Amino acid sequence: MASTTASAVDAPTRAETVRAKGRLYRGDLGMWSWVAHRITGVLTFFFLFVHVLDTALVRVSPNAYDTVIETYKHPVMILFELGLLAAVLFHAFNGIRVMLVDFWSEGTKYQKPMFWSVIVLWLVLMVPAAISMLTRAVTEIFGG
Protein backbone atom coordinates (compact mmCIF):
# COMPACT_ATOMS: atom_id res chain seq x y z
CA MET A 1 0.00 0.00 0.00
CA ALA A 2 1.38 3.42 -0.98
CA SER A 3 1.72 6.14 1.57
CA THR A 4 0.55 9.67 0.80
CA THR A 5 2.88 11.30 3.26
CA ALA A 6 6.44 12.24 2.38
CA SER A 7 9.21 10.33 4.00
CA ALA A 8 11.82 12.03 6.13
CA VAL A 9 14.28 11.74 3.23
CA ASP A 10 11.97 13.70 0.88
CA ALA A 11 11.18 16.43 3.41
CA PRO A 12 13.19 19.66 3.12
CA THR A 13 15.67 20.34 5.85
CA ARG A 14 14.80 22.93 8.47
CA ALA A 15 17.47 25.28 7.17
CA GLU A 16 15.77 25.38 3.76
CA THR A 17 12.32 26.23 5.10
CA VAL A 18 13.25 28.95 7.61
CA ARG A 19 13.43 32.45 6.20
CA ALA A 20 16.03 34.94 7.24
CA LYS A 21 15.22 36.37 10.63
CA GLY A 22 13.38 39.67 10.58
CA ARG A 23 12.06 39.40 7.02
CA LEU A 24 8.36 39.77 6.39
CA TYR A 25 6.35 38.78 3.36
CA ARG A 26 6.04 41.97 1.37
CA GLY A 27 4.10 40.50 -1.49
CA ASP A 28 4.74 40.76 -5.18
CA LEU A 29 3.13 42.82 -7.92
CA GLY A 30 0.10 40.54 -8.07
CA MET A 31 -0.70 41.06 -4.40
CA TRP A 32 -0.24 44.84 -4.53
CA SER A 33 -2.32 45.00 -7.70
CA TRP A 34 -5.06 43.06 -5.90
CA VAL A 35 -4.92 45.41 -2.90
CA ALA A 36 -4.98 48.54 -5.08
CA HIS A 37 -7.88 47.14 -7.12
CA ARG A 38 -9.94 46.54 -3.97
CA ILE A 39 -9.15 49.95 -2.48
CA THR A 40 -9.99 51.83 -5.69
CA GLY A 41 -13.17 49.80 -6.04
CA VAL A 42 -14.31 50.73 -2.53
CA LEU A 43 -13.44 54.40 -3.08
CA THR A 44 -15.40 54.44 -6.35
CA PHE A 45 -18.34 52.76 -4.63
CA PHE A 46 -18.40 55.40 -1.87
CA PHE A 47 -18.23 58.19 -4.45
CA LEU A 48 -21.19 56.70 -6.31
CA PHE A 49 -23.09 56.35 -3.02
CA VAL A 50 -22.51 60.01 -2.10
CA HIS A 51 -23.33 61.06 -5.67
CA VAL A 52 -26.70 59.27 -5.55
CA LEU A 53 -27.47 60.84 -2.16
CA ASP A 54 -26.60 64.39 -3.19
CA THR A 55 -28.51 64.03 -6.45
CA ALA A 56 -31.53 62.75 -4.52
CA LEU A 57 -31.50 66.02 -2.54
CA VAL A 58 -32.90 67.83 -5.57
CA ARG A 59 -36.27 66.11 -4.98
CA VAL A 60 -36.24 66.62 -1.22
CA SER A 61 -34.96 70.18 -1.00
CA PRO A 62 -33.66 72.11 -3.99
CA ASN A 63 -32.04 74.65 -1.64
CA ALA A 64 -30.08 71.91 0.15
CA TYR A 65 -29.03 70.55 -3.24
CA ASP A 66 -27.78 74.00 -4.32
CA THR A 67 -25.83 74.31 -1.06
CA VAL A 68 -24.13 70.95 -1.61
CA ILE A 69 -23.28 71.79 -5.21
CA GLU A 70 -21.75 75.10 -4.07
CA THR A 71 -19.55 73.13 -1.66
CA TYR A 72 -18.31 71.03 -4.57
CA LYS A 73 -17.20 74.17 -6.44
CA HIS A 74 -14.56 74.97 -3.82
CA PRO A 75 -11.02 74.72 -5.26
CA VAL A 76 -9.99 72.18 -2.60
CA MET A 77 -12.57 69.79 -4.03
CA ILE A 78 -10.45 69.66 -7.18
CA LEU A 79 -8.00 67.53 -5.18
CA PHE A 80 -10.82 65.10 -4.40
CA GLU A 81 -11.81 65.09 -8.07
CA LEU A 82 -8.21 64.29 -8.97
CA GLY A 83 -8.20 61.43 -6.46
CA LEU A 84 -11.47 60.14 -7.86
CA LEU A 85 -10.10 60.26 -11.40
CA ALA A 86 -6.97 58.40 -10.29
CA ALA A 87 -9.02 55.70 -8.55
CA VAL A 88 -11.49 55.21 -11.40
CA LEU A 89 -8.78 55.09 -14.09
CA PHE A 90 -6.64 52.59 -12.18
CA HIS A 91 -9.65 50.45 -11.30
CA ALA A 92 -10.83 50.40 -14.92
CA PHE A 93 -7.44 49.57 -16.46
CA ASN A 94 -6.58 47.01 -13.81
CA GLY A 95 -10.04 45.47 -14.23
CA ILE A 96 -9.30 44.92 -17.91
CA ARG A 97 -5.99 43.31 -16.92
CA VAL A 98 -7.79 41.05 -14.42
CA MET A 99 -10.26 39.98 -17.11
CA LEU A 100 -7.40 39.20 -19.49
CA VAL A 101 -5.65 37.13 -16.82
CA ASP A 102 -8.88 35.25 -16.07
CA PHE A 103 -10.20 34.64 -19.56
CA TRP A 104 -7.15 34.62 -21.83
CA SER A 105 -5.22 31.36 -21.86
CA GLU A 106 -1.89 33.24 -21.94
CA GLY A 107 -3.01 35.80 -19.34
CA THR A 108 -1.09 34.43 -16.39
CA LYS A 109 2.07 34.26 -18.45
CA TYR A 110 1.88 37.99 -19.22
CA GLN A 111 0.47 39.18 -15.89
CA LYS A 112 3.47 41.31 -14.84
CA PRO A 113 3.98 43.03 -18.22
CA MET A 114 0.25 43.78 -18.33
CA PHE A 115 0.43 45.28 -14.83
CA TRP A 116 3.28 47.56 -15.86
CA SER A 117 1.29 48.49 -18.98
CA VAL A 118 -1.59 49.48 -16.69
CA ILE A 119 0.75 51.67 -14.63
CA VAL A 120 2.26 53.33 -17.73
CA LEU A 121 -1.17 53.95 -19.29
CA TRP A 122 -2.46 55.29 -15.97
CA LEU A 123 0.51 57.68 -15.70
CA VAL A 124 0.17 58.81 -19.33
CA LEU A 125 -3.41 59.86 -18.63
CA MET A 126 -3.01 61.07 -15.03
CA VAL A 127 -0.04 63.40 -15.45
CA PRO A 128 -1.71 65.76 -17.98
CA ALA A 129 -5.00 65.55 -16.07
CA ALA A 130 -3.26 66.38 -12.80
CA ILE A 131 -1.41 69.31 -14.36
CA SER A 132 -4.62 70.67 -15.84
CA MET A 133 -6.72 70.22 -12.71
CA LEU A 134 -4.08 71.54 -10.33
CA THR A 135 -3.47 74.55 -12.57
CA ARG A 136 -7.19 75.27 -12.42
CA ALA A 137 -7.18 74.93 -8.63
CA VAL A 138 -4.21 77.28 -8.21
CA THR A 139 -5.80 79.78 -10.61
CA GLU A 140 -9.05 79.73 -8.64
CA ILE A 141 -7.31 80.08 -5.29
CA PHE A 142 -4.82 82.81 -6.22
CA GLY A 143 -6.63 84.39 -9.15
CA GLY A 144 -5.73 84.34 -12.79
Side-chain angles (χ1 to χ4, degrees):
M1 191 185 301
S3 172
T4 58
T5 59
S7 67
V9 176
D10 297 333
T13 63
R14 178 142 173 86
E16 292 174 349
T17 59
V18 175
R19 287 184 167 228
K21 195 171 189 121
R23 295 191 59 185
L24 296 173
Y25 176 70
R26 290 183 180 87
D28 62 352
L29 287 178
M31 186 204 75
W32 291 114
S33 170
W34 181 87
V35 168
H37 194 72
R38 296 315 181 267
I39 290 171
T40 57
V42 168
L43 291 174
T44 303
F45 170 78
F46 281 121
F47 163 75
L48 291 173
F49 181 71
V50 169
H51 178 65
V52 167
L53 288 178
D54 68 19
T55 304
L57 277 175
V58 79
R59 296 187 130 244
V60 176
S61 171
N63 290 336
Y65 175 78
D66 290 339
T67 303
V68 169
I69 296 303
E70 279 301 314
T71 304
Y72 292 158
K73 291 179 181 177
H74 194 277
V76 174
M77 292 303 288
I78 292 174
L79 295 175
F80 288 106
E81 289 177 4
L82 187 60
L84 174 66
L85 178 64
V88 169
L89 278 178
F90 178 82
H91 192 76
F93 294 146
N94 195 52
I96 293 168
R97 184 192 67 84
V98 167
M99 286 188 289
L100 287 171
V101 169
D102 286 346
F103 298 116
W104 179 34
S105 62
E106 300 289 319
T108 54
K109 181 179 176 183
Y110 297 108
Q111 179 170 303
K112 285 185 181 182
M114 285 191 295
F115 176 74
W116 288 112
S117 299
V118 165
I119 296 299
V120 167
L121 186 58
W122 182 80
L123 283 171
V124 163
L125 293 174
M126 277 305 299
V127 168
I131 291 170
S132 173
M133 293 174 81
L134 293 174
T135 301
R136 189 181 71 183
V138 168
T139 301
E140 287 186 26
I141 291 173
F142 297 112

